[in-house]
């Protein structure tokens, strides 16, 4: 067990990559707090993990709400006494260009994808400072590494997650807190399913990758597990692309 006796929060754990991350962390011995705005999905995910012998609880959680972060973190602290791992995974996509998006759409993407990461770290890091250790994994995207095209708000939100991760790594490293970002490429999840099933888009994805296929959510979860575990004890402020080689091209 690579995460024995660890307590881990995973946001957006009701679906896709967050669900696979939560399952894998629980399999490796962590007590996992799954949160998601979709209550039915996250409750089912936690009970599936329990049924498989893992330790899990679930919360309905809008990651853009500071009040909800505060409530959940306080409850987790009183139940489990510490938080070792935080995976800021929840996010939404918005495939429209900068000029097409309204201020409302811009604000929504920035708050759910990026402000959420600020709020999560703001509420969890003080407890990690107390216990003088912690690993935070923020899920960005290949869209947080390059300018991409046709998704200005999404790209800005994910680029912000990348540098906010480094800023936190620099400031809180002295407390043995590590902060890294993970940058998935084209991964099959409910978020991307429709695009990946579109034959023309699928062919375009394949033209972008080095490995001749799209990725699967458990492959991203393995990267998150590595960064959560002590195996990555000297890795902080790093960005790990899990993209089949897209950004190598
Ligand atoms: P998904 O849609 O399957 O899962 C996202 C989860 O986040 C859902 O369960 C959803 O209910 C939850 N969520 C949405 N808004 C929320 C909110 N305000 N508060 C709490 N939870 C909320 O998508 P996924 O593909 O698994 O995406 C996970 C992360 O990976 C996202 O941050 C996404 O931007 C990123 N990502 C995805 C891909 C891809 O190809 N699928 C590529 C790069 C990055």
């Amino acid at each position: 067990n690579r995460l024995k006796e660890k307590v881990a929060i995973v946001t957006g754990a009701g679906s896709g990559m967050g669900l696979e991350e939560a399952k894998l962390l629980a399999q490796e011995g962590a007590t996992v707090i799954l949160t998601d705005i979709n209550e039915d999905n996250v409750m089912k995910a936690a009970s599936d993990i329990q049924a498989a012998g893992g330790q899990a609880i679930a919360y309905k959680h809008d990651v853009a709400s500071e009040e909800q972060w505060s409530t959940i973190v306080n409850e987790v602290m009183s139940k489990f006494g510490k938080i070792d791992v935080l995976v800021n995974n929840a996010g939404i996509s918005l495939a429209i260009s900068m000029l097409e998006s309204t201020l409302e759409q811009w604000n929504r993407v920035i708050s759910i994808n990026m402000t959420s990461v600020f709020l999560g770290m703001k509420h969890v890091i003080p407890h990690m400072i107390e216990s003088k250790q912690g690993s935070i994994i923020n899920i960005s995207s290949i869209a947080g590494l390059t300018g991409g095209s046709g998704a200005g708000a999404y790209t800005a939100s994910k680029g912000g997650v990348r540098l906010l991760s480094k800023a936190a790594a620099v400031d809180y490293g002295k407390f043995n807190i590590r902060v890294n970002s993970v940058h998935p490429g084209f991964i099959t999840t409910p978020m991307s399913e429709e695009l990946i099933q579109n034959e023309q888009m699928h062919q375009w994805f394949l033209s972008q990758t080095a490995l001749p296929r799209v990725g699967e959510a458990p492959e991203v979860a393995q990267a998150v597990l590595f960064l959560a575990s002590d195996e990555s004890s000297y890795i902080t402020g790093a960005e790990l692309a899990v993209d089949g080689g897209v950004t190598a091209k």
Side-chain angles (χ1 to χ4, degrees):
N1 278 6
R2 293 156 73 183
L3 295 179
K4 203 165 170 248
E5 282 161 25
K6 303 273 190 192
V7 176
I9 298 178
V10 181
T11 69
S15 161
M17 288 184 239
L19 175 58
E20 296 302 329
E21 290 153 13
K23 287 200 298 205
L24 186 60
L25 300 192
Q27 241 174 54
E28 290 295 335
T31 297
V32 183
I33 295 92
L34 295 87
T35 85
D36 202 293
I37 201 163
N38 185 322
E39 188 170 14
D40 291 348
N41 279 358
V42 78
M43 293 297 163
K44 182 177 185 308
S47 61
D48 287 352
I49 290 174
Q50 288 163 359
Q55 304 286 330
I57 61 164
Y59 287 99
K60 179 176 168 36
H61 178 202
D62 176 357
V63 288
S65 157
E66 175 154 34
E67 203 189 326
Q68 292 182 25
W69 268 110
S70 169
T71 306
I72 290 170
V73 168
N74 284 338
E75 279 196 40
V76 170
M77 285 305 296
S78 62
K79 272 198 173 87
F80 304 108
K82 61 171 188 161
I83 300 166
D84 302 294
V85 174
L86 169 64
V87 185
N88 282 308
N89 161 84
I92 55 169
S93 73
L94 181 67
I96 58 175
S97 72
M98 184 173 65
L99 296 189
E100 285 167 321
S101 63
T102 62
L103 178 59
E104 198 185 4
Q105 286 171 316
W106 165 272
N107 284 338
R108 182 172 148 76
V109 170
I110 295 294
S111 69
I112 296 175
N113 290 2
M114 186 179 80
T115 309
S116 64
V117 175
F118 155 67
L119 292 174
M121 293 201 291
K122 183 175 160 64
H123 285 269
V124 168
I125 287 176
H127 301 293
M128 291 180 163
I129 289 176
E130 261 171 48
S131 54
K132 296 221 163 20
Q133 54 105 29
S135 175
I136 299 174
I137 300 104
N138 295 325
I139 307 300
S140 175
S141 167
I142 50 173
L145 293 170
T146 63
S149 173
Y154 185 79
T155 301
S157 72
K158 293 300 187 179
V161 168
R162 168 178 171 268
L163 282 185
L164 187 58
S165 303
K166 292 186 199 293
V170 170
D171 281 348
Y172 306 109
K174 57 177 171 291
F175 302 108
N176 193 28
I177 296 167
R178 300 183 295 108
V179 187
N180 294 288
S181 57
V182 168
H183 300 261
F186 309 119
I187 312 293
T188 310
T189 68
M191 183 189 276
S192 60
E193 224 162 26
E194 211 175 301
L195 278 180
I196 285 173
Q197 277 165 9
N198 174 312
E199 192 44 38
Q200 211 179 336
M201 279 308 293
H202 191 217
Q203 285 310 319
W204 183 79
F205 289 150
L206 299 188
S207 75
Q208 301 298 301
T209 55
L211 300 174
R213 63 181 179 85
V214 297
E216 301 302 327
E219 298 182 284
V220 178
Q222 290 291 345
V224 170
L225 169 62
F226 169 66
L227 292 171
S229 77
D230 295 339
E231 290 156 31
S232 57
S233 53
Y234 201 55
I235 301 177
T236 194
E239 47 198 56
L240 179 50
V242 185
D243 67 349
V246 172
T247 50
K249 280 191 156 183

